[in-house]
Amino acid sequence: MSAQTDGRAGAVRSTDGWTLDEWFVVALARTVADGEVVFHGFASPCAQVAMHVARRTHAPGSLLVEGATYAVNPEPAFVPPTSNDLALHRDAVYRMRFEEFFDAACRGAVDRMFLSGGQIDAYGNTNVTAIGGMPHPKIKLGGGGGGANISATIGALTVWTTRHGSGRTLVETVDFLTDLGHVTPAGTRAELGHTGGGPQWLVTELGVLDYTADGRARLLATFPDVTVAQVEKATGFALAVADDVGTVPEPTPAELAAVRDVDPLGVRRLEFGPSDLARHFGPAA
Amino acid sequence: MTGFHLAADKRTTLEEAVAHVRDGATLALGGGLAARLPMALVRALVRQGTTGLRVVGSAHSIDVDLLVGAGAVAVCEESYVGFEQDLGLAPAFRRGAESGSLVVRESSCVTMLTQLRAAEMGVPFLPVRGLLGTDLPTLHPEWGTVTCPFTGQLLAAVPALAPDVALLHAPIGDAAGNLHLDQPYVLDERFAHASRVVVASVDRLVSTAEVAAAGVTVPAHVVTAVVEAPFGAHPTSCYPGYAYDRTHLAEYVKAASAGGDAFEAYLDRYVRVEEQTYRDLTGAERLTAWSASDEQWQELFR
């Protein structure tokens, strides 16, 4: 892999700092285990960049299916701001068909998917349909793509949001349940007959969370400029907190180099507000 | 289905092609997100003044939004309408949904695929994974559940969906309607086989030998009409010809967000004109530069 060595994005020196958007993508990338089949949907620049970072660092044996082109293990020269673009086919030996990908996801052949939402509840149910609910939305969001089907069947889900700090994203109850978490008002995944494992990780711009045995989000680590109290205040449900909450492990130079190499246009930054884009860490901070 | 279309020469004009779309029709739109959307046909549909459409499909953007803004759509049954993180929510779609003038029966990609497959297979319904426990079924009284006769599993069940008309765009096609597409085909093949009428636009009409050499993705016998429309997917991409026009899409989103006179001005300038005028105004030709180098390609996205 040339990501760590070619000079296009500039070498990463140990004295360089890094930004929150870079660290966030690295934290997302670390949720991919080597050897997994991973997929992101459209409108997901952070997840999209993270999957390539994972493959170029700790998970070279993963099989990456690029969302919306269904290209297998492409090596894009850059990530464009639209996810159905030929740039995302680069050097892919094979491109799945739309049907082929979704069939694989439905029958359980896909290990991980990245999902986000305008609202996310304690169980990882997400709302990408409408704030205020349907049929009378206060804000009509874009919609869920294939999530209402394959969130039920994919092995594990990495849920993410860059808007945790708004106080409006992690909510007690989603206004519309588009994609499935661990427990819905109609029952658990097992009771509903769903075969996938559900949310495993929740990565936000405040920290990293996992899920307890009863399916609720639990805070594991925060970014160093964030306190546990801040996370609790920004969360609209009773938040479980691990006994030994730490800080999110720092990105390595190789991971930072991969982020910068994969994403020279900086599409990952489209997901963050101005105050989060200003967050800077590391020796040069 | 209602049978194959065997005419040898199906070439026609944009105006005649969209005359297949009647008020109130169930309309499938090909392509996905901001790629290979049948925009020349969509613009002709707006000029025709069609109303009451039920649009169906997976993930879409300016095609659906423009039709909604122009008052052509009653019901929207897509899995997503928007401009991703780049340009954000779909302004006219959002305004319609929030004001109640547009009925949104949001669907999901696999559900739509399954409904089209049922129509293709000639069965009244198919089971589909997921959906149970989500709120999507509350928008779809026509969906149900089925118990597997062999395992006893309860699954969501969705009815066959045969669109009245599908509008597709392809980079090349022949006079009989054989079409070659580049991947991803998204739902275009499914629309082509499940719909009663298939209307295609192509950037270039070519010989049958040329389409055959490139590979026929959609065969002539499922196509009703074909129109040559250079840059017919613009402002969305149609590779290998042209990349998407971020500048024009931003101009559209701005006009659609403002609504009212600004949206009417957009329609007057870009939609209620000849396609040749549209191509000249938008400078669509510059988008072929993507293939010169990675640097030039990236520049188109800045």
Side-chain angles (χ1 to χ4, degrees):
Chain A
M1 217 64 55
S2 64
Q4 286 80 11
T5 52
D6 85 24
R8 183 170 45 197
V12 178
R13 301 182 305 275
S14 60
T15 53
D16 286 342
W18 58 88
T19 55
L20 186 273
D21 55 278
E22 293 172 329
W23 198 351
F24 182 87
V25 165
V26 168
L28 273 182
R30 287 175 177 169
T31 71
V32 177
D34 197 16
E36 284 187 336
V37 178
V38 296
F39 173 76
H40 70 79
F42 52 76
S44 307
C46 283
Q48 193 172 15
V49 175
M51 282 169 46
H52 288 284
V53 170
R55 243 178 69 74
R56 293 182 185 204
T57 55
H58 69 276
S62 57
L63 188 144
L64 183 166
V65 183
E66 191 76 63
T69 66
Y70 314 104
V72 174
N73 291 340
E75 297 278 356
F78 62 94
V79 177
T82 177
S83 54
N84 181 359
D85 193 90
L86 184 67
L88 298 166
H89 298 220
R90 172 68 63 84
D91 293 338
V93 172
Y94 184 71
R95 292 177 279 185
M96 289 189 186
R97 297 158 68 85
F98 180 96
E99 298 87 335
E100 184 180 0
F101 168 73
F102 282 111
D103 287 347
C106 283
R107 70 174 179 264
V110 176
D111 297 312
R112 180 173 307 278
M113 174 169 65
F114 288 82
L115 270 180
S116 188
Q119 294 178 324
I120 303 168
D121 74 12
Y123 295 105
N125 296 301
T126 64
N127 172 12
V128 285
T129 298
I131 303 301
M134 294 292 278
H136 303 296
K138 185 158 161 272
I139 302 172
K140 180 68 189 83
L141 306 174
N149 306 104
I150 63 179
S151 64
T153 57
I154 282 180
L157 307 175
T158 297
V159 182
W160 90 100
T161 177
T162 56
R163 306 283 176 178
H164 189 168
S166 73
R168 296 188 299 271
T169 304
L170 267 62
V171 294
E172 179 68 39
T173 309
V174 290
D175 296 340
F176 188 96
L177 200 163
T178 316
D179 299 326
L180 292 153
H182 289 290
V183 181
T184 77
T188 65
R189 299 175 76 90
E191 287 163 353
L192 293 165
H194 296 320
T195 49
Q200 182 184 15
W201 301 103
L202 170 60
V203 179
T204 85
E205 86 284 14
L206 303 182
V208 175
L209 301 87
D210 69 354
Y211 288 85
T212 60
D214 61 352
R216 293 181 62 93
R218 172 176 62 183
L219 182 65
L220 288 183
T222 65
F223 289 101
D225 56 346
V226 175
T227 65
V228 172
Q230 280 176 288
V231 179
E232 286 176 323
K233 187 162 179 286
T235 304
F237 51 81
L239 181 67
V241 178
D243 293 337
D244 52 347
V245 173
T247 51
V248 180
E250 291 187 355
T252 66
E255 287 171 325
L256 289 171
V259 172
R260 294 165 190 178
D261 188 60
V262 167
D263 186 24
L265 288 174
V267 296
R268 63 187 179 276
R269 289 196 281 269
L270 293 168
E271 294 202 40
F272 295 89
S275 61
D276 288 314
L277 286 174
R279 291 166 66 188
H280 193 279
F281 305 90
Chain B
M1 305 312 300
T2 53
F4 289 154
H5 303 271
L6 303 183
D9 187 353
K10 298 168 187 156
R11 289 174 296 174
T12 184
T13 62
L14 285 171
E15 276 60 36
E16 287 178 13
V18 297
H20 286 285
V21 183
R22 306 293 171 82
D23 289 350
T26 295
L27 180 71
L29 295 161
L33 291 170
R36 220 169 22 68
L37 304 182
M39 290 307 299
L41 289 165
V42 164
R43 288 186 285 269
L45 206 50
V46 172
R47 290 194 293 274
Q48 178 173 271
T50 303
T51 60
L53 295 173
R54 171 197 181 201
V55 292
V56 299
S58 52
H60 285 259
S61 61
I62 187 174
D63 51 349
V64 172
D65 202 67
L66 181 61
L67 287 171
V68 170
V73 182
V75 178
C76 185
E77 205 170 322
E78 316 275 339
S79 69
Y80 172 85
V81 182
F83 296 85
E84 304 189 78
Q85 265 69 12
D86 199 19
L87 298 169
L89 300 175
F93 168 74
R94 189 184 155 187
R95 192 180 304 118
E98 292 168 14
S99 72
S101 63
L102 174 72
V103 175
V104 178
R105 291 190 204 133
E106 191 166 301
S107 189
S108 58
C109 296
V110 180
T111 305
M112 183 57 57
L113 167 63
T114 303
Q115 293 187 265
L116 295 166
R117 278 173 158 167
E120 288 183 83
M121 294 164 68
V123 295
F125 80 95
L126 283 172
V128 63
R129 282 280 176 201
L131 296 183
L132 305 180
T134 78
D135 285 334
L136 281 185
T138 65
L139 307 177
H140 293 272
E142 77 280 16
W143 295 356
T145 58
V146 64
T147 301
C148 172
F150 308 108
T151 64
Q153 282 184 79
L154 184 73
L155 295 158
V158 292
L161 174 61
D164 295 314
V165 184
L167 303 182
L168 308 180
H169 182 77
I172 58 171
D174 70 8
N178 289 300
L179 308 176
H180 167 79
L181 309 180
D182 277 12
Q183 280 183 275
Y185 308 138
V186 198
L187 284 171
D188 286 30
E189 295 166 286
R190 305 283 67 78
F191 287 146
H193 292 276
S195 302
R196 296 182 176 89
V197 168
V198 175
V199 172
S201 56
V202 295
D203 287 322
R204 281 192 307 126
L205 265 173
V206 299
S207 69
T208 300
E210 187 174 338
V211 188
V216 173
T217 318
V218 173
H221 59 250
V222 297
V223 174
T224 317
V226 61
V227 188
E228 187 172 54
F231 293 95
H234 184 276
T236 70
S237 66
C238 185
Y239 291 104
Y242 43 97
Y244 101 149
D245 190 339
R246 191 163 183 244
T247 307
H248 185 85
L249 285 166
E251 185 179 345
Y252 170 79
V253 168
K254 193 175 168 202
S257 298
D261 291 346
F263 189 74
E264 281 300 312
Y266 178 92
L267 294 180
D268 284 341
R269 181 170 167 81
Y270 293 115
V271 178
R272 296 174 182 135
V273 295
E274 296 285 327
E275 276 290 305
Q276 179 64 56
T277 306
Y278 172 84
R279 289 194 291 276
D280 293 344
L281 278 172
T282 55
E285 194 74 44
R286 77 187 189 286
L287 299 162
T288 61
W290 74 270
S291 58
S293 68
D294 283 348
E295 287 66 35
Q296 290 208 38
W297 201 358
Q298 279 189 59
E299 278 310 307
L300 295 174
F301 293 110
R302 286 189 197 274

